[in-house]
Amino acid sequence: MHMNDKYIIQVEDLHKWFGMLHVIKGISFSVQPREVLVVIGRSGSGKSTLLRCLNFLEEPSTGRISIAGNSVDTGPGVKVDHSTIITLRLSTGMVFQEFNLFPHMTVIQNVIEGLITVKRMNKDEAIPIGEKYLEKVGLREKRDVHPIRLSGGQKQRVAIARALAMEPKVMLFDEPTSALDPELIGEVLDVMKEIAYDGATMLVVTHEMGFAKDVSDRIIFIDQGLIVEDGPPEQIFGNPLDERTRLFLEPLRKVQHL
């Protein structure tokens, strides 16, 4: 596969081993700019590992990753260029399952921390950008409080604002609602929907099938470290081609009224 400009993300024959455990078994896919790609699959199927390999939070065992024109080859004996990884990370924003906010910092300080430390902005430049993205997630009025005063949903929305403030080319979401109480999930999904409708390129690992059905352009179903099915939501939910996809979705249909 030739890395071309049509795609903002390209992954080619990605493998990840943890010791003897082969978690990602040769995954390839591409994502176009402004595309919302949702990754679904059982717990332990490799979804989060795949996402973490994209920005080298986990170093792939072999394979090639290209994001926004920055390509990195990995494999035994391949010297990974760290400056390329830093550039690649700067083009991705990541939202984790756990919010990872700094407890000793206010909301606005959390949001602008990356702008100051990574992008070397001065505080006066960074604050208006931070406020703009707090506004975007509906939390402008919480700018001066500490995270301990926030609900889980509000913390996650601050984490999203923090990722957006870096103005990345691609947003990665790793099960962003799975640590939240059920009544708080909606507020986070609503913010994510808005970001999608604004035209962001998004890769979302989630168990929220309603979100996958309504917001995604494409869904990838991963089973045991392999892509089993890749298609538009109508196909995945309406007429899955692979028996494993059907078996995975069957019980969820009843619970989530799909």
Side-chain angles (χ1 to χ4, degrees):
M1 182 170 66
H2 168 63
M3 295 284 171
N4 72 32
D5 298 338
K6 182 184 167 194
Y7 299 110
I8 192 163
I9 301 174
Q10 285 182 280
V11 176
E12 197 179 329
D13 197 23
L14 187 73
H15 290 258
K16 177 63 181 172
W17 295 80
F18 291 101
M20 298 298 289
L21 194 62
H22 198 185
V23 179
I24 304 282
K25 300 175 182 171
I27 281 183
S28 301
F29 66 93
S30 303
V31 182
Q32 294 185 17
R34 304 171 76 90
E35 192 171 16
V36 178
L37 177 66
V38 170
V39 183
I40 63 172
R42 292 184 174 77
S43 295
S45 59
K47 310 182 298 295
S48 291
T49 302
L50 170 64
L51 207 65
R52 292 170 69 85
C53 282
L54 290 184
N55 63 1
F56 285 79
L57 286 172
E58 298 286 357
E59 191 160 320
S61 303
T62 65
R64 170 183 268 203
I65 290 169
S66 176
I67 298 181
N70 302 292
S71 290
V72 184
D73 285 294
T74 62
V78 178
K79 183 93 178 74
V80 173
D81 176 28
H82 283 286
S83 64
T84 312
I85 289 177
I86 289 164
T87 315
L88 184 140
R89 278 193 186 141
L90 273 173
S91 54
T92 64
M94 181 106 173
V95 178
F96 301 89
Q97 193 171 337
E98 302 296 339
F99 327 114
N100 297 349
L101 299 179
F102 294 114
H104 62 287
M105 290 184 179
T106 63
V107 163
I108 188 74
Q109 287 169 337
N110 267 284
V111 172
I112 66 174
E113 175 67 9
L115 294 174
I116 291 169
T117 57
V118 180
K119 288 199 168 177
R120 303 267 182 259
M121 271 187 194
N122 68 48
K123 206 169 165 190
D124 296 342
E125 280 177 287
I127 283 175
I129 297 170
E131 287 177 339
K132 171 181 154 187
Y133 288 106
L134 279 178
E135 185 81 51
K136 178 111 206 101
V137 301
L139 288 173
R140 180 77 187 265
E141 79 287 356
K142 299 286 185 192
R143 84 187 276 293
D144 297 317
V145 306
H146 284 80
I148 196 166
R149 301 259 172 257
L150 301 177
S151 71
Q154 289 170 331
K155 285 178 189 166
Q156 193 58 296
R157 282 152 60 201
V158 171
I160 292 171
R162 175 180 60 188
L164 288 172
M166 298 293 282
E167 300 187 333
K169 304 272 197 316
V170 172
M171 284 287 286
L172 307 174
F173 293 87
D174 186 10
E175 301 199 16
T177 58
S178 60
L180 298 177
D181 295 331
E183 71 274 14
L184 301 175
I185 290 173
E187 68 188 64
V188 173
L189 293 178
D190 285 346
V191 166
M192 290 169 64
K193 280 178 194 167
E194 201 175 313
I195 297 166
Y197 297 146
D198 283 348
T201 307
M202 292 167 63
L203 218 80
V204 184
V205 171
T206 187
H207 293 288
E208 295 296 326
M209 295 300 145
F211 176 87
K213 193 176 182 191
D214 296 344
V215 185
S216 74
D217 298 300
R218 235 171 93 211
I219 296 173
I220 286 177
F221 173 60
I222 292 186
D223 189 51
Q224 298 184 339
L226 287 164
I227 294 178
V228 171
E229 193 153 353
D230 176 348
E234 310 75 65
Q235 173 203 312
I236 301 281
F237 287 105
N239 187 22
L241 305 177
D242 194 286
E243 178 69 1
R244 288 165 290 183
T245 317
R246 201 184 57 71
L247 289 170
F248 172 71
L249 289 172
E250 204 53 53
L252 296 171
R253 279 210 176 89
K254 298 185 178 78
V255 181
Q256 300 195 18
H257 311 299
L258 297 168

